Amino acid sequence: MWDFFYGSYSLTEVLILCLGAILIGVNKTGVPGLGMIPVLLLADFFEPRESTGLQLMMLGMADILAVIYYRRQADWKIVLRLMPWALLGIGLGVLALKFIADDTMKPVLAWTILFMVAFSYIAKFIKNADKMPEHWAFSAFFGMLAGLTTHVANAAGPVMAIYLLSMKLEKKAYIGSAAWYFLILNWLKIPIFAYEGRITLSSLKADITMIPLLIAGAALGILLLNKLPQKRFEQIVQSLAALGAIKMLIWP
């Protein structure tokens, strides 16, 4: 049974997958920004291409759980505004993987995220800053950046965290909008990842065994979200986005 589902994976690697599944579940239903931790965790124990493929299938399954629970909470105006730009960003990500090295891409993405986190903190002191999120270029920038980062490394969480916070959404509307947005993007990415060789039959079999842990993580996320005050929710999201970007800068 072990050989069928996990093949050559070691016990340590399977345990890391289990931890990643729980964190992904919590991230999708309760603590946005936490998603950078499994991205980095899996990358430390698996080959880069394999780690992104393993994670994407878990993300896709967790997206379904999040949408089931928060399906009526989404702000579709925001989701649809971002979607065309996100698809363009995925196209840019396909090209980036062919021509740009990871060690060049990561610092650029990290500094961009840190800049946006800083912007979210100081925006209230900038004249007319409240009007900036309403401009089409604001959505275009974040949509393309989210599409690019999600395709390259499943790392669009911090980007979307800053964008959705700027929309001043109530926490459940935030989670619902993010759930639908990532459900669409991640399931569109799955055939592309399979074509690129990042999703294989062996990784798919291992991911299937993670479903119970994804469900447990999702339930824990819902519990945490119900307990978190709105202000604390926003502080946690901003802090985790910043920490994720900093880790990208120092990630070997």
Side-chain angles (χ1 to χ4, degrees):
M1 187 68 73
W2 178 280
D3 289 341
F4 176 80
F5 284 109
Y6 303 120
S8 61
Y9 292 155
S10 68
L11 176 60
T12 299
E13 289 171 330
V14 173
L15 290 175
I16 291 299
L17 273 179
C18 291
L19 178 58
I22 294 171
L23 291 174
I24 287 171
V26 174
N27 167 66
K28 288 296 184 178
T29 61
V31 188
L34 189 66
M36 281 303 298
I37 297 177
V39 169
L40 301 169
L41 189 64
L42 266 63
D44 283 339
F45 286 87
F46 298 91
E47 291 296 320
R49 295 175 67 85
E50 185 180 21
S51 73
T52 55
L54 282 165
Q55 190 188 14
L56 179 59
M57 287 307 306
M58 291 193 287
L59 289 169
M61 290 185 285
D63 287 326
I64 293 174
L65 298 173
V67 163
I68 289 173
Y69 192 82
Y70 294 108
R71 60 189 179 277
R72 296 178 181 175
Q73 303 288 341
D75 186 326
W76 277 100
K77 182 179 178 181
I78 290 175
V79 174
L80 294 176
R81 185 191 304 159
L82 285 171
M83 197 55 61
W85 302 109
L87 295 176
L88 178 58
I90 288 176
L92 293 174
V94 173
L95 294 175
L97 286 176
K98 292 182 178 180
F99 299 108
I100 302 176
D102 285 348
D103 57 358
T104 301
M105 180 73 68
K106 289 172 189 171
V108 173
L109 298 178
W111 281 115
T112 301
I113 293 166
L114 284 174
F115 174 80
M116 290 301 146
V117 172
F119 171 79
S120 71
Y121 277 112
I122 65 175
K124 58 185 176 182
F125 301 110
I126 302 175
K127 186 177 180 180
N128 296 326
D130 287 342
K131 296 181 180 179
M132 291 180 63
E134 299 175 6
H135 197 280
W136 70 267
F138 191 83
S139 296
F141 173 77
F142 275 95
M144 285 191 289
L145 185 60
L148 174 64
T149 53
T150 194
H151 187 76
V152 171
N154 295 319
V159 177
M160 286 305 297
I162 302 308
Y163 179 81
L164 292 176
L165 285 178
S166 72
M167 297 294 108
K168 296 180 172 58
L169 295 175
E170 186 272 333
K171 61 183 182 180
K172 289 187 177 180
Y174 176 117
I175 296 291
S177 299
W180 277 107
Y181 177 81
F182 282 114
L183 176 76
I184 296 168
L185 286 192
N186 284 333
W187 282 92
L188 284 175
K189 284 162 49 186
I190 286 173
I192 300 175
F193 271 47
Y195 174 77
E196 293 174 339
R198 291 201 270 175
I199 292 177
T200 63
L201 180 59
S202 60
S203 68
L204 180 59
K205 288 190 290 187
D207 280 333
I208 288 173
T209 67
M210 297 296 116
I211 292 176
L213 295 174
L214 288 166
I215 294 172
L220 179 58
I222 291 169
L223 178 64
L224 290 173
L225 187 68
N226 289 332
K227 299 289 185 181
L228 279 176
Q230 179 76 21
K231 185 175 182 180
R232 181 60 57 85
F233 171 81
E234 294 177 1
Q235 291 171 341
I236 290 174
V237 171
Q238 288 176 321
S239 298
L240 288 174
L243 288 173
I246 291 170
K247 183 64 171 71
M248 287 174 70
L249 287 174
I250 62 177
W251 188 11

